[in-house]
Amino acid sequence: MAAAVSKLMRLQDLVLVARKCRVVTAFRTTLGMARRLSTRLQPNHPTDDATGIAASLLDGLLLGSGDAVIGINPATDNVAQVVSLLHLLDAVIDQYQIPTQSCVLTHITNTLEAIRRGAPIDLVFQSVAGTQAANRSFGIDMSLLAEGRAAALSLGRGTVGNNVMYFETGQGSALSAGAHHGMDQQTCEARAYAVARAYQPLLVNSVVGFIGPEYLYDGKQIMRAGLEDHFCAKLLGLPMGCDVCYTNHAEADQDDMDALLAMLGVAGCNFIMGVPGADDIMLGYQSTSFHDALYARRVLGLRPAPEFEAWLARTQITDAQGRLKMALAPAFQAALLRLGD
Protein backbone atom coordinates (compact mmCIF):
# COMPACT_ATOMS: atom_id res chain seq x y z
CA MET A 1 0.00 0.00 0.00
CA ALA A 2 2.85 2.40 0.76
CA ALA A 3 4.41 1.69 -2.64
CA ALA A 4 1.03 2.10 -4.35
CA VAL A 5 0.48 5.48 -2.70
CA SER A 6 3.96 6.66 -3.73
CA LYS A 7 3.18 5.92 -7.39
CA LEU A 8 0.29 8.41 -7.31
CA MET A 9 2.43 11.23 -5.95
CA ARG A 10 4.45 13.97 -7.59
CA LEU A 11 7.92 14.73 -6.29
CA GLN A 12 6.62 17.63 -4.21
CA ASP A 13 4.05 15.31 -2.60
CA LEU A 14 6.78 12.81 -1.71
CA VAL A 15 8.79 15.63 -0.12
CA LEU A 16 5.90 17.22 1.76
CA VAL A 17 4.53 14.05 3.36
CA ALA A 18 7.95 12.60 4.21
CA ARG A 19 8.88 15.87 5.91
CA LYS A 20 6.00 15.34 8.33
CA CYS A 21 7.26 11.86 9.32
CA ARG A 22 9.92 12.20 12.01
CA VAL A 23 11.70 9.01 13.18
CA VAL A 24 14.28 9.48 15.96
CA THR A 25 16.82 6.83 16.99
CA ALA A 26 19.89 6.82 19.22
CA PHE A 27 23.08 4.96 20.16
CA ARG A 28 25.86 7.45 20.99
CA THR A 29 24.25 10.20 18.96
CA THR A 30 20.56 11.07 18.58
CA LEU A 31 19.55 10.96 14.93
CA GLY A 32 16.50 12.10 12.99
CA MET A 33 15.55 15.15 15.04
CA ALA A 34 13.93 18.15 13.37
CA ARG A 35 16.29 20.57 11.58
CA ARG A 36 19.14 18.08 11.67
CA LEU A 37 21.02 16.30 8.87
CA SER A 38 23.57 13.65 9.80
CA THR A 39 26.29 11.99 7.75
CA ARG A 40 27.93 8.61 7.49
CA LEU A 41 31.68 9.15 7.21
CA GLN A 42 32.72 6.54 4.60
CA PRO A 43 36.55 6.23 4.53
CA ASN A 44 36.77 3.22 2.20
CA HIS A 45 40.11 2.09 0.76
CA PRO A 46 40.71 -0.46 -2.04
CA THR A 47 43.22 -2.41 0.08
CA ASP A 48 41.90 -1.54 3.56
CA ASP A 49 45.17 0.34 4.14
CA ALA A 50 45.12 1.79 7.65
CA THR A 51 46.94 5.00 6.67
CA GLY A 52 44.61 5.65 3.74
CA ILE A 53 41.56 5.04 5.92
CA ALA A 54 42.96 7.30 8.64
CA ALA A 55 43.57 10.11 6.13
CA SER A 56 39.98 9.96 4.88
CA LEU A 57 38.71 9.70 8.44
CA LEU A 58 40.63 12.79 9.54
CA ASP A 59 39.45 14.69 6.46
CA GLY A 60 35.84 13.88 7.23
CA LEU A 61 35.99 14.71 10.92
CA LEU A 62 37.61 18.07 10.25
CA LEU A 63 34.76 18.85 7.83
CA GLY A 64 32.08 17.97 10.36
CA SER A 65 31.16 14.53 9.04
CA GLY A 66 30.52 11.30 10.93
CA ASP A 67 27.66 11.88 13.36
CA ALA A 68 25.46 9.09 11.94
CA VAL A 69 28.26 6.52 11.83
CA ILE A 70 31.84 6.01 10.75
CA GLY A 71 31.27 3.10 8.40
CA ILE A 72 33.79 1.20 6.28
CA ASN A 73 32.97 -1.13 3.41
CA PRO A 74 35.84 -3.63 3.74
CA ALA A 75 37.72 -4.63 0.60
CA THR A 76 37.40 -8.30 1.62
CA ASP A 77 35.20 -10.32 3.95
CA ASN A 78 38.19 -11.74 5.84
CA VAL A 79 37.12 -11.80 9.50
CA ALA A 80 40.59 -11.02 10.84
CA GLN A 81 40.72 -7.92 8.62
CA VAL A 82 37.24 -6.90 9.74
CA VAL A 83 38.34 -7.17 13.38
CA SER A 84 41.43 -5.07 12.62
CA LEU A 85 39.31 -2.33 11.06
CA LEU A 86 36.92 -2.36 14.01
CA HIS A 87 39.82 -1.86 16.42
CA LEU A 88 41.15 1.00 14.27
CA LEU A 89 37.82 2.83 14.34
CA ASP A 90 37.29 2.17 18.04
CA ALA A 91 40.76 3.53 18.87
CA VAL A 92 40.07 6.79 17.01
CA ILE A 93 36.66 7.23 18.62
CA ASP A 94 38.12 6.51 22.07
CA GLN A 95 41.21 8.71 21.67
CA TYR A 96 39.26 11.78 20.62
CA GLN A 97 36.13 10.95 22.65
CA ILE A 98 33.93 11.28 19.57
CA PRO A 99 30.21 10.80 20.24
CA THR A 100 29.49 8.54 17.30
CA GLN A 101 29.30 4.86 16.41
CA SER A 102 31.43 2.71 14.13
CA CYS A 103 30.51 -0.07 11.73
CA VAL A 104 32.33 -2.34 9.31
CA LEU A 105 29.77 -3.22 6.66
CA THR A 106 30.44 -6.93 6.38
CA HIS A 107 28.00 -9.84 6.30
CA ILE A 108 26.18 -10.39 9.58
CA THR A 109 27.77 -13.82 10.06
CA ASN A 110 31.20 -12.17 10.00
CA THR A 111 30.04 -9.62 12.57
CA LEU A 112 28.80 -12.40 14.85
CA GLU A 113 32.17 -14.10 14.56
CA ALA A 114 33.91 -10.79 15.29
CA ILE A 115 31.79 -10.44 18.45
CA ARG A 116 32.85 -13.93 19.49
CA ARG A 117 36.48 -12.81 19.04
CA GLY A 118 35.93 -9.84 21.35
CA ALA A 119 35.86 -7.11 18.69
CA PRO A 120 34.40 -3.69 19.65
CA ILE A 121 31.08 -3.87 17.76
CA ASP A 122 28.75 -0.89 17.88
CA LEU A 123 26.36 -1.63 15.02
CA VAL A 124 25.46 -4.82 13.16
CA PHE A 125 25.13 -4.25 9.42
CA GLN A 126 23.24 -6.19 6.77
CA SER A 127 21.75 -5.59 3.34
CA VAL A 128 18.09 -6.65 3.30
CA ALA A 129 15.49 -7.18 0.59
CA GLY A 130 11.72 -7.43 0.31
CA THR A 131 11.16 -11.13 -0.37
CA GLN A 132 12.22 -14.25 1.48
CA ALA A 133 13.94 -15.58 -1.65
CA ALA A 134 15.96 -12.38 -2.10
CA ASN A 135 17.03 -12.41 1.54
CA ARG A 136 18.02 -16.04 1.14
CA SER A 137 20.25 -14.98 -1.76
CA PHE A 138 21.92 -12.58 0.70
CA GLY A 139 22.50 -15.51 3.06
CA ILE A 140 20.12 -14.28 5.75
CA ASP A 141 16.74 -14.93 7.32
CA MET A 142 14.76 -13.25 10.08
CA SER A 143 16.16 -15.42 12.85
CA LEU A 144 19.75 -14.55 11.87
CA LEU A 145 18.95 -10.85 12.02
CA ALA A 146 17.42 -11.33 15.46
CA GLU A 147 20.56 -13.19 16.59
CA GLY A 148 22.74 -10.32 15.41
CA ARG A 149 20.65 -7.73 17.22
CA ALA A 150 20.68 -9.73 20.46
CA ALA A 151 24.46 -10.14 20.27
CA ALA A 152 25.03 -6.40 19.80
CA LEU A 153 22.62 -5.48 22.58
CA SER A 154 24.47 -7.82 24.94
CA LEU A 155 27.60 -5.66 24.57
CA GLY A 156 25.86 -2.59 26.02
CA ARG A 157 28.03 -0.09 24.15
CA GLY A 158 25.41 2.63 23.57
CA THR A 159 25.34 5.74 25.74
CA VAL A 160 22.13 7.58 24.77
CA GLY A 161 20.17 4.72 23.18
CA ASN A 162 20.21 1.07 22.17
CA ASN A 163 19.36 1.01 18.46
CA VAL A 164 22.11 -1.31 17.22
CA MET A 165 21.21 -2.33 13.65
CA TYR A 166 22.20 -0.75 10.33
CA PHE A 167 20.41 -1.86 7.15
CA GLU A 168 20.94 -0.99 3.51
CA THR A 169 18.37 -1.47 0.78
CA GLY A 170 17.96 -0.48 -2.85
CA GLN A 171 15.54 -0.89 -5.72
CA GLY A 172 16.42 -3.79 -8.00
CA SER A 173 18.06 -6.22 -5.56
CA ALA A 174 15.17 -8.71 -5.64
CA LEU A 175 14.91 -8.40 -9.43
CA SER A 176 18.64 -9.04 -9.93
CA ALA A 177 18.36 -12.16 -7.74
CA GLY A 178 15.38 -13.42 -9.76
CA ALA A 179 13.42 -13.28 -6.50
CA HIS A 180 10.83 -10.60 -7.22
CA HIS A 181 7.90 -12.95 -8.03
CA GLY A 182 6.72 -10.65 -10.81
CA MET A 183 6.45 -7.59 -8.55
CA ASP A 184 7.86 -4.25 -9.60
CA GLN A 185 11.07 -3.17 -7.88
CA GLN A 186 9.49 -0.29 -5.97
CA THR A 187 6.98 -2.63 -4.30
CA CYS A 188 9.77 -5.09 -3.46
CA GLU A 189 11.76 -2.20 -1.99
CA ALA A 190 8.89 -1.06 0.24
CA ARG A 191 8.54 -4.63 1.52
CA ALA A 192 12.19 -4.52 2.61
CA TYR A 193 11.27 -1.75 5.04
CA ALA A 194 8.98 -4.13 6.91
CA VAL A 195 11.96 -6.48 7.35
CA ALA A 196 14.14 -3.65 8.64
CA ARG A 197 11.48 -2.20 10.95
CA ALA A 198 11.22 -5.43 12.94
CA TYR A 199 14.70 -4.89 14.43
CA GLN A 200 14.48 -1.24 15.55
CA PRO A 201 17.50 -0.05 13.54
CA LEU A 202 19.56 3.03 14.24
CA LEU A 203 20.12 3.58 10.51
CA VAL A 204 18.52 2.50 7.25
CA ASN A 205 19.46 3.84 3.85
CA SER A 206 18.66 3.18 0.24
CA VAL A 207 21.76 3.02 -1.98
CA VAL A 208 19.54 4.45 -4.63
CA GLY A 209 21.67 4.57 -7.80
CA PHE A 210 24.28 1.96 -6.97
CA ILE A 211 23.03 -1.08 -8.92
CA GLY A 212 23.15 0.77 -12.22
CA PRO A 213 21.14 1.80 -15.30
CA GLU A 214 19.81 -1.73 -15.75
CA TYR A 215 17.42 -0.81 -12.90
CA LEU A 216 17.37 3.00 -12.78
CA TYR A 217 18.33 4.32 -16.18
CA ASP A 218 19.10 7.99 -15.68
CA GLY A 219 19.24 10.87 -13.24
CA LYS A 220 15.49 11.48 -13.43
CA GLN A 221 14.71 7.89 -12.48
CA ILE A 222 17.29 7.95 -9.67
CA MET A 223 15.74 11.13 -8.27
CA ARG A 224 12.26 9.65 -8.39
CA ALA A 225 13.41 6.40 -6.76
CA GLY A 226 15.31 8.19 -3.99
CA LEU A 227 12.29 10.25 -3.01
CA GLU A 228 9.98 7.22 -3.26
CA ASP A 229 12.28 5.20 -1.02
CA HIS A 230 12.57 7.96 1.55
CA PHE A 231 8.82 8.56 1.59
CA CYS A 232 7.84 4.88 1.88
CA ALA A 233 10.38 4.19 4.64
CA LYS A 234 9.39 7.23 6.69
CA LEU A 235 5.70 6.40 6.25
CA LEU A 236 6.44 2.90 7.59
CA GLY A 237 8.35 4.27 10.60
CA LEU A 238 11.98 3.83 9.59
CA PRO A 239 14.89 6.22 10.33
CA MET A 240 15.64 6.62 6.63
CA GLY A 241 18.73 8.04 5.02
CA CYS A 242 19.89 7.89 1.43
CA ASP A 243 23.14 7.26 -0.39
CA VAL A 244 22.66 9.89 -3.10
CA CYS A 245 24.68 8.10 -5.75
CA TYR A 246 25.12 6.79 -9.27
CA THR A 247 27.43 4.46 -11.17
CA ASN A 248 29.66 5.82 -13.89
CA HIS A 249 27.85 3.93 -16.66
CA ALA A 250 24.46 5.45 -15.78
CA GLU A 251 22.97 8.41 -17.64
CA ALA A 252 23.42 10.64 -14.60
CA ASP A 253 25.88 13.17 -13.28
CA GLN A 254 26.62 15.25 -10.19
CA ASP A 255 24.03 17.87 -11.12
CA ASP A 256 21.37 15.17 -10.76
CA MET A 257 22.77 14.28 -7.35
CA ASP A 258 22.76 17.94 -6.29
CA ALA A 259 19.06 18.15 -7.11
CA LEU A 260 18.22 14.94 -5.24
CA LEU A 261 20.34 16.01 -2.25
CA ALA A 262 18.48 19.31 -1.98
CA MET A 263 15.07 17.65 -2.20
CA LEU A 264 15.98 15.01 0.39
CA GLY A 265 17.27 17.73 2.70
CA VAL A 266 13.94 19.55 2.43
CA ALA A 267 12.10 16.23 2.92
CA GLY A 268 13.79 15.62 6.30
CA CYS A 269 16.17 12.81 5.30
CA ASN A 270 17.94 11.48 8.40
CA PHE A 271 21.41 11.14 6.90
CA ILE A 272 23.51 11.07 3.75
CA MET A 273 26.99 9.77 2.92
CA GLY A 274 30.27 11.62 3.31
CA VAL A 275 32.84 10.30 0.83
CA PRO A 276 36.19 12.04 0.08
CA GLY A 277 35.66 14.00 -3.12
CA ALA A 278 32.28 12.23 -3.61
CA ASP A 279 34.25 9.44 -5.39
CA ASP A 280 34.42 6.10 -3.58
CA ILE A 281 37.75 4.66 -4.71
CA MET A 282 36.98 1.19 -3.37
CA LEU A 283 33.39 0.65 -4.53
CA GLY A 284 33.89 2.63 -7.75
CA TYR A 285 30.79 4.83 -7.71
CA GLN A 286 29.88 8.48 -7.19
CA SER A 287 28.21 9.65 -3.99
CA THR A 288 28.13 12.82 -1.87
CA SER A 289 31.18 14.49 -0.36
CA PHE A 290 31.90 16.06 3.02
CA HIS A 291 31.48 19.43 1.29
CA ASP A 292 28.08 18.43 -0.10
CA ALA A 293 26.88 17.82 3.46
CA LEU A 294 28.19 21.22 4.53
CA TYR A 295 26.37 22.82 1.60
CA ALA A 296 23.08 21.11 2.45
CA ARG A 297 23.32 22.10 6.10
CA ARG A 298 24.18 25.70 5.22
CA VAL A 299 21.49 26.40 2.63
CA LEU A 300 18.72 24.53 4.46
CA GLY A 301 19.60 25.65 7.99
CA LEU A 302 20.33 22.12 9.22
CA ARG A 303 22.73 20.98 11.93
CA PRO A 304 24.53 17.77 12.96
CA ALA A 305 23.28 15.49 15.75
CA PRO A 306 23.32 17.44 19.05
CA GLU A 307 25.99 15.32 20.79
CA PHE A 308 28.29 15.53 17.75
CA GLU A 309 27.60 19.23 17.30
CA ALA A 310 28.74 19.84 20.88
CA TRP A 311 31.90 17.78 20.24
CA LEU A 312 32.73 19.81 17.12
CA ALA A 313 32.56 22.99 19.19
CA ARG A 314 34.47 21.45 22.10
CA THR A 315 37.36 20.36 19.88
CA GLN A 316 37.38 23.76 18.12
CA ILE A 317 36.52 22.32 14.72
CA THR A 318 33.58 24.75 14.62
CA ASP A 319 33.05 28.20 16.10
CA ALA A 320 30.24 29.51 18.29
CA GLN A 321 27.96 29.84 15.25
CA GLY A 322 28.61 26.25 14.17
CA ARG A 323 30.77 27.24 11.19
CA LEU A 324 34.03 25.45 10.39
CA LYS A 325 37.10 27.25 11.68
CA MET A 326 39.82 28.08 9.19
CA ALA A 327 42.62 26.90 11.50
CA LEU A 328 43.29 23.22 12.13
CA ALA A 329 41.74 22.01 15.37
CA PRO A 330 44.54 21.66 17.97
CA ALA A 331 43.48 18.14 18.97
CA PHE A 332 44.18 16.89 15.42
CA GLN A 333 47.47 18.66 14.68
CA ALA A 334 49.57 15.73 15.90
CA ALA A 335 47.43 13.29 13.94
CA LEU A 336 48.02 15.24 10.73
CA LEU A 337 51.77 15.27 11.34
CA ARG A 338 51.78 11.48 11.83
CA LEU A 339 49.97 11.00 8.54
CA GLY A 340 52.56 13.22 6.85
CA ASP A 341 55.32 10.95 8.13
Side-chain angles (χ1 to χ4, degrees):
M1 289 301 296
V5 169
S6 75
K7 295 175 190 297
L8 301 175
M9 301 171 79
R10 293 169 54 190
L11 297 187
Q12 67 174 241
D13 299 323
L14 295 171
V15 169
L16 177 63
V17 179
R19 184 179 176 87
K20 296 181 179 181
C21 302
R22 186 64 54 191
V23 184
V24 177
T25 56
F27 188 74
R28 293 197 194 103
T29 50
T30 306
L31 307 174
M33 300 170 69
R35 312 305 303 169
R36 306 274 176 174
L37 176 65
S38 296
T39 57
R40 169 187 159 191
L41 204 173
Q42 186 169 308
N44 294 343
H45 192 276
T47 63
D48 289 339
D49 177 74
T51 301
I53 290 171
S56 296
L57 184 53
L58 179 61
D59 187 22
L61 290 171
L62 292 176
L63 290 170
S65 185
D67 53 332
V69 63
I70 302 174
I72 298 175
N73 297 94
T76 72
D77 269 339
N78 178 281
V79 176
Q81 181 66 15
V82 167
V83 171
S84 176
L85 292 173
L86 287 163
H87 281 291
L88 169 64
L89 295 180
D90 189 61
V92 171
I93 289 172
D94 181 67
Q95 179 176 351
Y96 297 103
Q97 294 297 291
I98 308 170
T100 190
Q101 35 282 328
S102 68
C103 186
V104 174
L105 282 68
T106 187
H107 193 270
I108 189 170
T109 53
N110 293 330
T111 303
L112 285 167
E113 177 58 28
I115 291 175
R116 284 189 281 270
R117 297 187 187 187
I121 301 289
D122 292 337
L123 305 182
V124 174
F125 169 81
Q126 184 56 51
S127 295
V128 296
T131 70
Q132 184 176 348
N135 282 318
R136 190 183 304 119
S137 77
F138 288 162
I140 62 168
D141 57 26
M142 302 291 277
S143 62
L144 183 60
L145 295 177
E147 181 184 352
R149 179 173 182 267
L153 285 173
S154 72
L155 301 178
R157 292 174 57 83
T159 55
V160 296
N162 60 0
N163 298 110
V164 295
M165 303 298 285
Y166 178 12
F167 295 121
E168 281 192 342
T169 68
Q171 290 191 30
S173 58
L175 179 59
S176 64
H180 60 298
H181 305 294
M183 285 186 289
D184 68 278
Q185 61 188 40
Q186 167 61 7
T187 300
C188 285
E189 173 71 2
R191 286 171 55 90
Y193 304 151
V195 176
R197 183 175 57 182
Y199 304 97
Q200 301 172 38
L202 178 75
L203 305 166
V204 182
N205 69 262
S206 166
V207 193
V208 66
F210 183 73
I211 299 183
E214 302 85 358
Y215 302 92
L216 296 170
Y217 177 69
D218 57 15
K220 185 171 183 177
Q221 289 189 4
I222 291 172
M223 181 181 298
R224 175 80 196 185
L227 293 171
E228 285 174 345
D229 294 351
H230 180 253
F231 161 79
C232 287
K234 284 291 183 64
L235 191 67
L236 293 170
L238 281 181
M240 195 65 170
C242 187
D243 190 343
V244 180
C245 65
Y246 65 100
T247 56
N248 289 312
H249 64 307
E251 294 295 322
D253 58 30
Q254 206 64 44
D255 286 341
D256 297 311
M257 300 305 104
D258 287 348
L260 177 55
L261 172 62
M263 295 192 79
L264 285 169
V266 174
C269 186
N270 280 30
F271 70 103
I272 60 170
M273 306 300 129
V275 177
D279 180 12
D280 193 300
I281 59 173
M282 196 282 282
L283 292 173
Y285 79 118
Q286 308 303 310
S287 185
T288 45
S289 70
F290 308 134
H291 298 84
D292 292 330
L294 290 174
Y295 149 78
R297 285 172 176 163
R298 176 69 63 86
V299 300
L300 297 174
L302 306 174
R303 296 152 57 194
E307 300 87 353
F308 194 81
E309 182 180 42
W311 177 82
L312 290 172
R314 191 165 61 248
T315 54
Q316 300 181 53
I317 293 174
T318 58
D319 61 20
Q321 287 73 44
R323 297 171 300 194
L324 289 177
K325 288 191 172 183
M326 296 298 292
L328 179 66
F332 290 95
Q333 291 175 2
L336 191 62
L337 290 173
R338 285 196 298 272
L339 283 174
D341 294 337

